[in-house]
């Protein structure tokens, strides 16, 4: 479709440029020259290198490209280049595409509300060209040669024919060279690159069938082959994610939902793996985020966030894509229903793929009533009897509940949410006291040790009775032992029977590789292994039975949250985080020998009273404190 210049006259009262005398009639009101108008528009559309990336990538997608490369130098400050094999442009269109309000994608105002394509204001290229040096090379299928155009601050400097394949290559250099305030306002290279990667990922995640590459300063950061949604997510987050993804699907008249969510144990303290899309467009929504978070309630620790990739499809008229191109908020007509549908769909997926066997069925509970699925007939309510039921068989309680749940299962549209009620409480209420309480006399001086509620250790010694917080105690012990390891020449290492391979996202791999040396100092045997992968063969001997994957995930979370600025701080942060991550948690049952060992290790510490955040590790009750308790 040829590009037409489309002025949004219903929205802008522009004075037609076919009336030049107007300008001379007035001394005060002047028409802004196009280059300045473009610069002003650019101020809204192009805020940082990442905004250029977004616009260029979306244009390549709209042009039907199946292969898109993004080449970045110095976080976009030196170069942003896209190379696509899309349909390209003829010579006239190439020139026209740089005009403001030039678009091939809208021809009347109605289109604005129906648009499924990405960009739709015809403003992006003109805006970018106003604040940078742009080189565009493009060739359409019906031409043997391409067109090359050089533009600087909206001025076409040069145009000629060039030899090239069908498609478009756009190079942006010296962004904001003529807007020094903007250039100064740019953040550090790392931050700007982070934004670029975010935009790249958002576009890649909605176009899994397109092959994408991203290079930064000559280094390939991503190579995503054209594939399906699951493979694309894994391509972005790292192969280790494959087992952690659970599909979500829901089809109603109002909305269709597809996508994937992370299993609860893959939830992280940091955000960054949460993606919502509607009709092929990324958006942010604290409201829907809370719907997801609600569905995970009780399944993940506080302040942790599950990964999710949720793709909504709705009727285009039912959302208001805020016409402002840089806004990522979108208004939905029927937000509340979509919230309920989303939360339910996620709960169901979690139930099916992760926690189903522990379901507690409570038929009394009320639930959200969902709109019927598309094409679904609503089943008549009726009594279902389980013909297999044998009253003489001794079903265990859990099994009975489970079977009851199945036998009385209601149509999916209404009942299933109730299946999960109660589960949350179950998970939150750690058993107050485990039946197999470990109580023993250990050591030669008849020391009594006992675990209380799987989280406190009671030790009776000659000094009195110690009440010890097991997690805090162990993190203190590990902390001091790691500190010692750093000083020592060779660290006591516990070799792993099965080395653990970690496949990480690009960002996480970066974080971990910055810490590898420090980790070796405290007794890890870890090395990088291919792109974004690490292999761990040994852990510090002091770490009892750690789950290496969980520990490393938590560790990376910690470092991401507060990135140390220098080597010394890094070493300190590694020691502290590792001690906290690999310490035995509250809720873990301990054997008498383990408790005694922990108690003795603690007593050897330089600072046994406090944990790494300054909390009390133990309470000692001797005869005088007991006297006080009795008011004696
Ligand atoms: P919009 O995308 O809103 O139409 P842009 O300023 O981003 O506005 O682009 C203007 C026009 O230039 C597009 O409508 C399209 O016709 C053309 N165009 C831009 N980039 C490409 C590309 N990579 N391949 C083919 N055509 C393109
Ligand atoms: Mg565009």
């Amino acid at each position: 479709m040829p590009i037409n210049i489309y002025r949004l006259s219903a929205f802008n009262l522009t004075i037609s440029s076919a009336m030049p005398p107007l300008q001379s009639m007035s001394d005060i009101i002047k028409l802004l020259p196009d280059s300045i108008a473009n610069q002003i528009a650019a101020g809204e559309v192009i805020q940082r290198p990442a905004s250029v990336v977004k616009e260029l990538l979306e244009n390549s997608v709209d042009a039907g490209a199946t292969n898109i490369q993004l080449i970045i130098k110095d976080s976009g400050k030196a170069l942003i280049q896209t190379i696509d094999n899309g349909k390209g442009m003829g010579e006239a269109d190439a020139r026209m595409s740089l005009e403001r309000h030039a678009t091939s994608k809208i021809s009347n105002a109605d289109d604005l509300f129906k648009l499924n394509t990405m960009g739709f204001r015809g403003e992006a290229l003109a805006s970018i060209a106003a604040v940078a040096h742009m080189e565009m090379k493009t060739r359409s299928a019906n031409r043997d040669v391409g067109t090359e155009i050089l533009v600087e601050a909206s001025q076409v400097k040069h145009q000629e024919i060039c030899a090239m394949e069908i498609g478009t290559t756009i190079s942006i250099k010296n962004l904001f060279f003529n807007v020094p305030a903007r250039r100064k306002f740019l953040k550090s290279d790392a931050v700007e690159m982070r934004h670029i990667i975010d935009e790249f990922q958002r576009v890649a995640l909605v176009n899994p069938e397109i092959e994408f590459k991203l290079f930064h300063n000559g280094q390939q950061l991503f190579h995503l082959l054209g594939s399906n949604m699951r493979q694309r997510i894994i391509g972005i987050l790292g192969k280790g994610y494959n087992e952690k993804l659970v599909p979500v699907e829901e089809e109603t008249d109002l909305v269709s939902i597809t996508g994937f969510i992370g299993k609860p144990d893959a939830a992280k303290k940091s955000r960054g793996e949460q993606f919502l899309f509607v009709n092929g467009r990324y958006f942010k929504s604290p409201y829907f985020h809370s719907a997801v978070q609600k569905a995970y309630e009780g399944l993940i620790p506080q302040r942790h966030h599950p990964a999710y990739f949720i793709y909504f499809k709705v009727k285009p008229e039912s959302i208001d894509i805020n016409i402002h191109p840089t806004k990522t908020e979108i208004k939905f007509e029927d937000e509340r229903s979509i919230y309920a549908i989303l939360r339910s769909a996620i709960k169901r997926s979690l139930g099916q793929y992760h926690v189903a066997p522990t379901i507690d069925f409570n038929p009394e509970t009320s639930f959200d009533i969902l709109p019927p699925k598309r094409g679904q007939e609503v089943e008549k309510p009726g009594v279902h009897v389980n013909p297999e039921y044998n009253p003489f068989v001794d079903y265990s309680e859990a099994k009975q509940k489970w079977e009851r749940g199945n036998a009385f299962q209601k149509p999916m549209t209404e009942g299933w949410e109730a299946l999960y009620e109660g589960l949350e409480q179950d998970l939150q209420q750690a058993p107050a006291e485990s039946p197999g309480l470990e109580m023993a006399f250990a050591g030669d001086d008849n020391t009594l040790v006992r675990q209380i509620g799987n989280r406190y250790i009671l030790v009776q010694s000659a000094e009195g009775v110690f009440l010890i917080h097991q997690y805090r105690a162990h993190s203190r012990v590990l902390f001091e032992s790691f500190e010692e390891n750093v000083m020592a020449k060779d660290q006591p290492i516990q070799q792993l029977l099965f080395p653990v391979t970690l496949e990480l996202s690009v960002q996480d791999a970066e974080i971990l590789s910055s810490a590898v040396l420090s980790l070796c100092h405290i007794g890890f045997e870890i090395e990088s292994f291919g792109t974004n992968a690490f292999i761990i063969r040994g852990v510090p001997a002091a770490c009892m039975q750690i789950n290496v994957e969980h520990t490393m995930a938590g560790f990376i979370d910690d470092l991401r949250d507060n990135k140390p600025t220098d080597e010394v701080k890094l070493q300190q942060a590694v020691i502290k985080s590792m001690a906290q991550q690999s310490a035995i948690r509250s809720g873990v049952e301990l054997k008498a020998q383990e408790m005694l060992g922990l108690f003795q290790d603690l007593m050897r510490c330089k600072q046994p009273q406090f944990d790494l955040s300054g909390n009390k590790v133990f309470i000692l009750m001797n005869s005088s404190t007991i006297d006080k308790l009795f008011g004696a």
Side-chain angles (χ1 to χ4, degrees), residues 3 55 59-60 62-63 84 88-89 97 102-105 119-126 168 170:
I3 296 179
E55 297 297 339
N59 280 346
S60 295
D62 287 345
D84 74 47
M89 287 174 272
S97 71
T103 175
S104 55
K105 298 166 196 170
F120 48 82
R121 303 223 309 185
E123 245 177 356
L125 286 187
T168 304
I170 296 184

Side-chain angles (χ1 to χ4, degrees), residues 293-303 347 355 358 360 420-433 453-455 586-587:
Q293 206 77 31
K294 264 255 175 310
Y296 278 82
E297 214 166 67
L299 298 176
I300 54 177
Q302 266 199 343
R303 285 190 293 275
K347 276 196 162 194
V355 289
T358 53
D360 189 358
Y420 306 100
E421 303 289 4
L423 171 69
E424 287 143 39
Q425 287 94 305
D426 280 3
L427 286 166
Q428 270 163 1
Q429 287 163 8
E433 225 158 308
N454 281 353
R455 49 189 184 276
S586 294

Side-chain angles (χ1 to χ4, degrees), residues 1-3 55-65 82 84 86-89 93-94 96-106 115 117-128 136-138 167-170:
M1 196 197 296
I3 296 179
E55 297 297 339
L56 296 185
L57 289 178
E58 287 181 347
N59 280 346
S60 295
V61 170
D62 287 345
T82 49
D84 74 47
K87 64 176 189 257
M89 287 174 272
D93 278 354
M96 189 75 102
S97 71
L98 300 168
E99 298 284 335
R100 201 138 67 94
H101 304 315
T103 175
S104 55
K105 298 166 196 170
I106 314 177
L115 238 96
T117 41
M118 299 289 196
F120 48 82
R121 303 223 309 185
E123 245 177 356
L125 286 187
S127 301
I128 299 167
M136 175 198 280
K137 288 170 139 188
T138 183
T168 304
T169 296
I170 296 184

Side-chain angles (χ1 to χ4, degrees), residues 106-175:
I106 314 177
S107 40
N108 60 54
D110 265 1
D111 286 351
L112 266 179
F113 300 101
K114 294 203 186 113
L115 238 96
N116 281 320
T117 41
M118 299 289 196
F120 48 82
R121 303 223 309 185
E123 245 177 356
L125 286 187
S127 301
I128 299 167
V131 292
H133 293 178
M134 175 190 286
E135 181 196 275
M136 175 198 280
K137 288 170 139 188
T138 183
R139 183 188 144 196
S140 56
N142 57 0
R143 300 234 162 183
D144 298 328
V145 289
T147 307
E148 180 180 333
I149 301 177
L150 270 178
V151 197
E152 285 173 17
S154 303
Q155 304 289 313
V156 176
K157 293 282 172 191
H158 179 76
Q159 176 172 346
E160 63 179 5
I161 55 170
C162 66
M164 67 180 291
E165 302 281 299
I166 295 162
T168 304
T169 296
I170 296 184
S171 314
I172 308 300
K173 292 177 190 161
N174 303 325
L175 182 63

Side-chain angles (χ1 to χ4, degrees), residues 20-29:
L22 263 182
Q23 212 171 349
S24 48
M25 278 159 54
S26 160
D27 295 338
I28 302 167
I29 301 178

